[in-house]
């Protein structure tokens, strides 16, 4: 899962209330797929454990996108699909290779300077400004004027146009990070994700993001140095153009607060005045900045490939079998760390996301062993490159291996924290479509409640693989363990928060690190999660009508299709 801001979790963790029993509840006989030993809670738990131990083993070296370790994981997943009798649904058997371009910044190359009234000011890399590699050019050297555009947002739905009255053609836009606090978080996160595209469409040749006091508290500018040596990876279209890349944007950089004051020194408004507006929750208006910037950098490129893994269980209805319920989980993690001082540098990703893949595989087994097949088909996809920007999922969303208009729903599994006996689950996106009541009903069969989003300010709905299908109009939910525990001695929210603070994206997200800190890994609750996931998929697959977007959903309004939008 993409990074969550830990500093904002405090109030959410207070939701970790307790219930009485620590044993998973067994579903009614009518929902149990097969009343045999193979599908018993213990057997499922043992297989969940086996999957997780394999996928998070040191031998796979953290399953980094494009690595041999991730390829091994992919073949392991494909082998399990084949053993279950699921049909291949990739472009090469079970695999769907994703073509990618890997770009690296030549660390000695970045230069940024500002010239006003003939006087030049140089900014030091990476202390004062930071940049990453270009995905389309080797060498860049460009000079251009500057225009401040506030947050750089445009939204007809919310009546926002930060570019109104401003001509930015051939200019570099100077942008504040984030978005106005008055906007709802999920919708705002989507609009903010379009800043680069909007700047390119308006004719800008570059973007410089200026840090703010609020963002400095959440993400200190200096922390960016941790990622300077990481390559940028994007998936490639058939014509070789990288998705999400805008070649006309020659300049991309972030500037720390103090040196950024120079950009506004002779402007209509100082940077301190702009920060004062932000304190009053006002959205600053844009204006032309004096002078021009000169920017240069050099990048190196390499084409790589990393596969999604896809398999299908064909539905039983002669008509509805041509529609697909998509179940996803990302198989990659972040690989080997760069901190040479650490004895253990392998980021194994036991919870993120070996756990999600294990639950997906056991959900597939439950469907394969069910005495009655679902009416619609179930399409299982283990996607690559989530940690690099939802790459595999986005490639699949643009290049689905089944007809796009036949994908009726997506249920995504990302980082279920199996360290406490959860009594509720969270389905991010449940409030946007008819999938919310489906999840609540399925979880209720196992005495598990559907909880409200405990971190609404984080806009989690826009930050995992399902969101790529949302943008193609597919109603989706992202499932995660809730913050309520059945064990009076364990507060689920506190356990979840401790995991995130100490183990998320670290080498200690492995068996040794987690058992040392939490005492036990609850594979039995991984089995319960698989049962719930099976029940959700069954409900969607057997329903007379496909899921629909809720009438008031922002995402339904902008992405929904005629066949899944409530009028």
């Amino acid at each position: 899962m993409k990074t969550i801001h830990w500093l904002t979790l405090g109030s959410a963790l207070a939701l970790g209330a307790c219930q009485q029993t620590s044993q998973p509840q067994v579903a009614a006989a009518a929902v149990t797929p097969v009343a045999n030993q193979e599908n018993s809670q213990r057997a499922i738990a043992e297989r969940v454990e086996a999957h997780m131990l394999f996928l998070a083993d040191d031998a796979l070296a953290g399953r980094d996108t494009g690595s041999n370790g991730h390829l091994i994981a992919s073949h392991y997943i494909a082998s399990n699909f084949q053993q279950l009798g699921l049909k291949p649904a990739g472009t090469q058997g079970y695999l769907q290779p994703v073509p990618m371009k890997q770009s690296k910044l030549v660390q000695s190359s970045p230069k940024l300077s500002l010239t006003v009234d003939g006087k030049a000011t140089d900014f030091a890399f990476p202390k004062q400004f930071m940049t990453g590699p270009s995905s389309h050019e080797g060498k860049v050297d460009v000079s251009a004027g500057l225009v401040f555009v506030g947050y750089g947002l445009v939204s007809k739905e919310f009546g926002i146009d930060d570019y109104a009255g401003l001509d930015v053609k051939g200019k570099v836009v100077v942008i504040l990070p984030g978005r106005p606090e008055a906007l709802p978080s999920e919708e705002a996160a989507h609009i903010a994700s379009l800043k680069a595209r909007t700047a390119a469409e308006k004719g800008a040749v570059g973007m410089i993001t200026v840090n703010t006091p609020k963002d400095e508290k959440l993400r200190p500018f200096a922390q960016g140095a941790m990622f300077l040596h990481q390559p940028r990876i994007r998936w490639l279209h058939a014509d070789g153009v990288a998705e999400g890349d805008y070649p006309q944007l020659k300049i991309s950089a972030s500037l720390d607060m103090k040196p950024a004051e120079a950009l506004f020194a002779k402007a209509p408004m100082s940077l301190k005045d702009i920060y004062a507006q932000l304190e009053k929750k006002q959205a600053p208006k844009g204006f032309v900045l004096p002078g021009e910037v000169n920017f240069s950098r050099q990048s190196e490129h390499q084409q790589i490939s990393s596969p999604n893994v896809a398999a299908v269980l064909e539905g039983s209805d002669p008509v509805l079998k041509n529609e697909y319920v998509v179940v996803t989980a990302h198989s990659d993690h972040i690989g080997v760390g760069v901190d040479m001082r650490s004895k253990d540098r392998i980021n194994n990703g036991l919870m993120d996301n070996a756990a999600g893949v294990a639950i997906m595989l056991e959900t597939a087994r439950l469907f394969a062993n069910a005495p009655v097949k679902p009416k619609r088909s179930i399409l299982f996809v283990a996607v690559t490159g989530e940690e690099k920007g939802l790459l595999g999922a986005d490639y699949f969303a643009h290049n689905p291996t089944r007809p796009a208009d036949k994908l009726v729903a997506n249920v995504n599994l990302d980082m279920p924290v199996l360290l406490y006996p959860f009594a509720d689950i969270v389905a991010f996106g449940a409030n946007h479509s008819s999938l919310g009541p489906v999840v609540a009903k399925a979880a209720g069969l196992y005495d598990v409640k559907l909880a409200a989003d405990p971190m609404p300010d984080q806009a989690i709905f826009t930050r995992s693989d399902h969101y790529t299908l949302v943008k193609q109009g597919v109603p989706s939910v992202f499932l995660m363990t809730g913050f309520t525990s059945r064990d009076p001695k364990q507060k689920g929210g506190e356990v979840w928060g401790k995991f995130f603070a100490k183990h998320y994206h670290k080498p200690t997200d492995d068996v040794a690190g987690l058992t040392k800190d939490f005492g036990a890994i609850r594979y039995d609750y991984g089995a319960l999660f698989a049962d719930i996931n099976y029940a959700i998929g069954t409900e969607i697959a057997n329903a007379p009508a496909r899921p629909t977007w809720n009438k008031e959903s922002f995402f339904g309004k902008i992405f929904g299709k005629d066949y899944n939008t409530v009028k």
Side-chain angles (χ1 to χ4, degrees):
M1 181 168 58
K2 303 303 287 180
T3 304
I4 297 172
H5 305 313
W6 166 246
L7 292 177
T8 66
L9 289 180
S11 59
L13 301 186
L15 298 176
C18 304
Q19 294 186 4
Q20 294 180 349
T21 175
S22 64
Q23 295 301 315
Q25 299 297 304
V26 179
V31 218
T32 304
V34 180
N36 61 19
Q37 183 61 33
E38 185 177 9
N39 285 329
S40 70
Q41 286 279 315
R42 177 178 294 180
I44 298 173
E46 289 174 348
R47 287 193 298 270
V48 166
E49 178 180 9
H51 294 317
M52 290 174 65
L53 293 182
F54 181 88
L55 293 168
D57 191 87
D58 280 358
L60 274 65
R63 308 186 308 279
D64 199 6
T65 301
S67 69
N68 191 55
H70 179 263
L71 184 61
I72 293 171
S74 299
H75 283 292
Y76 174 84
I77 295 165
S79 175
N80 274 271
F81 285 151
Q82 184 175 11
Q83 290 175 58
L84 294 174
L86 274 60
K87 294 182 179 180
T91 53
Q92 296 180 12
Y94 291 96
L95 303 185
Q96 182 191 33
V98 180
M100 301 178 181
K101 177 183 281 189
Q102 178 176 274
S103 307
K104 295 183 179 180
L105 179 70
V106 177
Q107 294 294 311
S108 60
S109 67
K111 291 181 174 56
L112 177 67
S113 64
L114 169 70
T115 301
V116 180
D117 296 335
K119 182 180 179 180
T121 301
D122 295 326
F123 301 105
F125 174 83
K127 186 176 181 180
Q128 294 180 312
F129 86 97
M130 295 187 192
T131 187
S134 166
S135 297
H136 54 272
E137 289 183 297
K139 292 184 178 180
V140 172
D141 193 342
V142 61
S143 298
L146 299 159
V147 180
F148 174 63
V149 294
Y151 287 109
L153 303 179
V154 175
S155 170
K156 292 181 180 179
E157 293 80 8
F158 289 97
I160 298 173
D161 186 356
D162 289 340
Y163 286 83
L166 299 173
D167 181 7
V168 301
K169 291 181 180 179
K171 307 293 185 180
V172 175
V173 293
V174 178
I175 288 180
L176 300 173
R179 66 270 186 177
E181 292 184 17
L183 290 178
S185 62
E186 292 177 347
E187 291 84 346
H190 168 73
I191 297 168
S193 72
L194 304 177
K195 289 186 179 185
R197 188 179 84 178
T198 301
E201 289 174 348
K202 296 292 184 179
V205 297
M207 282 178 55
I208 294 177
T209 303
V210 175
N211 217 18
T212 68
K214 177 182 176 181
D215 283 276
E216 183 66 20
K217 291 179 180 179
L218 291 173
R219 295 176 299 272
F221 180 84
Q223 282 189 2
M226 298 170 55
F227 308 100
L228 286 177
H229 293 272
Q230 290 189 0
R232 173 181 294 163
I233 303 178
R234 300 187 188 274
W235 66 264
L236 297 174
H237 289 274
D239 60 3
V241 175
E243 170 63 20
D245 190 31
Y246 305 98
Q248 61 268 47
L249 294 179
K250 307 291 185 181
I251 299 174
S252 63
S254 58
L255 198 56
D256 203 1
M257 292 190 297
K258 187 62 177 176
E261 292 178 2
L263 273 61
F264 296 81
K266 295 187 177 182
M269 183 178 290
S270 71
L271 188 56
K272 289 183 179 180
D273 290 336
I274 291 172
Y275 291 158
Q277 285 188 316
L278 298 181
E279 283 291 320
K280 298 176 182 177
K281 303 188 186 311
Q282 298 175 354
K285 301 294 184 181
F287 46 82
V288 175
L289 291 167
E292 68 175 23
V293 292
N294 182 271
F295 174 85
S296 61
R297 68 179 168 191
Q298 186 171 349
S299 307
E300 298 174 339
H301 304 114
Q302 177 184 2
Q303 291 201 15
I304 63 173
S305 179
S306 187
N308 294 329
V309 186
V312 66
L313 179 130
E314 190 173 273
S316 60
D317 186 274
V319 176
L320 293 181
K321 71 178 182 180
N322 296 314
E323 297 183 347
Y324 300 84
V325 180
V326 186
V327 180
T328 53
H330 75 88
S331 52
D332 66 301
H333 195 50
I334 61 173
V336 180
V338 297
D339 187 356
M340 302 301 293
R341 299 168 299 177
S342 176
K343 293 182 180 179
D344 182 6
R345 295 170 53 219
I346 297 176
N347 297 285
N348 302 85
L350 184 68
M351 295 299 156
D352 185 18
N353 185 37
V357 174
I359 290 169
M360 181 182 70
L361 289 175
E362 286 312 296
T363 302
R365 182 182 296 275
L366 292 173
F367 273 108
N369 289 344
V372 178
K373 300 304 180 192
K375 293 180 180 180
R376 290 184 176 84
S377 298
I378 313 294
L379 179 60
F380 298 94
V381 188
V383 292
T384 185
E386 190 272 350
E387 302 290 2
K388 299 296 189 288
L390 317 182
L391 301 182
D394 197 42
Y395 183 83
F396 175 83
H398 283 79
N399 303 275
T401 58
R402 293 296 184 268
D405 63 340
K406 300 301 182 183
L407 307 181
V408 304
N410 177 212
V411 180
N412 183 44
L413 303 162
D414 188 357
M415 206 174 79
V417 178
L418 305 178
L419 298 172
Y420 54 96
F422 64 85
D424 59 359
I425 63 171
V426 177
F428 298 105
N431 57 317
H432 288 291
S433 74
S434 60
L435 293 177
V438 171
V439 175
K441 178 181 177 181
L445 296 170
Y446 295 87
D447 193 30
V448 173
K449 294 181 179 180
L450 174 62
D453 182 351
M455 300 171 286
D457 57 311
Q458 293 292 308
I460 303 295
F461 180 59
T462 66
R463 292 163 55 186
S464 190
D465 293 306
H466 65 286
Y467 191 58
T468 64
L469 282 171
V470 166
K471 291 190 288 186
Q472 301 301 318
V474 181
S476 306
V477 287
F478 158 27
L479 301 183
M480 192 183 77
T481 43
F483 286 2
T484 306
S485 172
R486 299 181 186 274
D487 184 354
K489 297 179 181 179
Q490 283 187 301
K491 292 185 178 181
E494 291 182 1
V495 174
W496 199 97
K498 184 178 180 181
F499 164 80
F500 191 85
K502 295 185 62 177
H503 304 280
Y504 173 73
H505 281 194
K506 293 182 174 65
T508 53
D509 182 11
D510 65 358
V511 174
L514 297 182
T515 53
K516 179 181 178 181
D517 224 3
F518 300 99
I521 296 168
R522 297 305 298 260
Y523 301 112
D524 52 340
Y525 275 80
L528 175 62
F529 210 125
D531 279 336
I532 294 170
N533 202 43
Y534 168 80
I536 293 169
T538 300
E539 182 76 14
I540 301 170
N542 290 334
R546 62 193 294 163
T548 55
W549 291 99
N550 292 341
K551 185 177 181 179
E552 69 279 6
S553 170
F554 169 82
F555 300 97
K557 290 176 182 178
I558 63 174
F559 297 126
K561 312 296 184 182
D562 288 341
Y563 47 76
N564 64 13
T565 302
V566 176
K567 302 297 184 182

